[in-house]
């Protein structure tokens, strides 16, 4: 029996480092790429739409892992768009809570 502790990390994605992108909900031809980049305040409808796409996406975890790995220690001003269901500010806060987890990510091919 496997016992899970709060110190265990999820297993790396079985998808290749870039192959997951073709399975993303936002890669659908009917989705405007700009929809994932709601800019400015007062864009709550656009933000809800982008996050809604993420939350029904089969590769949400891979997208978030990729964003966190690429963005690293960047602050919220250098994180754009909604990726992995989170805004740039939300990803920056997540990184600050546990920076070691994201720096250690490595994709397996």
């Amino acid at each position: 029996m496997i016992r899970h502790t709060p110190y265990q990390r999820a297993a790396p994605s079985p998808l290749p480092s870039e192959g997951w992108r073709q399975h993303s909900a936002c890669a659908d031809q009917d989705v405007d790429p700009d929809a994932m980049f709601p800019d400015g305040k007062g864009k709550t409808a656009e933000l809800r739409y982008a996050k809604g796409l993420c939350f029904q996406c089969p590769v949400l975890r891979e997208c978030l892992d990729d964003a966190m790995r690429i963005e690293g220690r960047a602050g919220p001003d250098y994180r754009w768009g909604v990726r992995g269901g989170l805004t740039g500010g939300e990803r920056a806060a997540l990184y600050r809570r546990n920076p070691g987890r994201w720096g250690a990510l490595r994709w397996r091919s």
Side-chain angles (χ1 to χ4, degrees):
M1 181 166 130
I2 297 174
R3 208 172 69 177
H4 295 280
T5 69
Y7 302 104
Q8 290 175 317
R9 287 192 267 200
S13 168
L15 295 173
S17 63
E18 296 298 320
W20 62 267
R21 292 176 191 268
Q22 67 187 352
H23 302 287
S24 65
C26 62
D28 189 307
Q29 291 178 352
D30 296 333
V31 176
D32 178 7
D34 290 336
M36 301 310 291
F37 296 90
D39 57 347
K41 298 189 187 305
K43 300 274 187 170
T44 54
E46 291 88 345
L47 187 58
R48 273 197 308 269
Y49 174 75
K51 285 187 168 196
L53 275 176
C54 288
F55 292 133
Q56 60 183 326
C57 184
V59 291
L60 175 116
R61 172 68 188 250
E62 289 84 354
C63 183
L64 179 59
D65 287 347
D66 187 56
M68 299 299 284
R69 181 178 52 84
I70 290 170
E71 294 168 342
R73 287 184 280 233
D77 294 339
Y78 296 98
R79 296 173 186 260
W80 297 283
V82 175
R83 295 191 65 192
L86 301 177
T87 65
E90 292 167 339
R91 291 191 307 275
L94 181 62
Y95 184 89
R96 282 191 306 272
R97 283 195 297 269
N98 193 358
R101 189 238 188 280
W102 305 109
L105 283 176
R106 295 291 177 260
W107 293 97
R108 295 182 184 179
S109 37

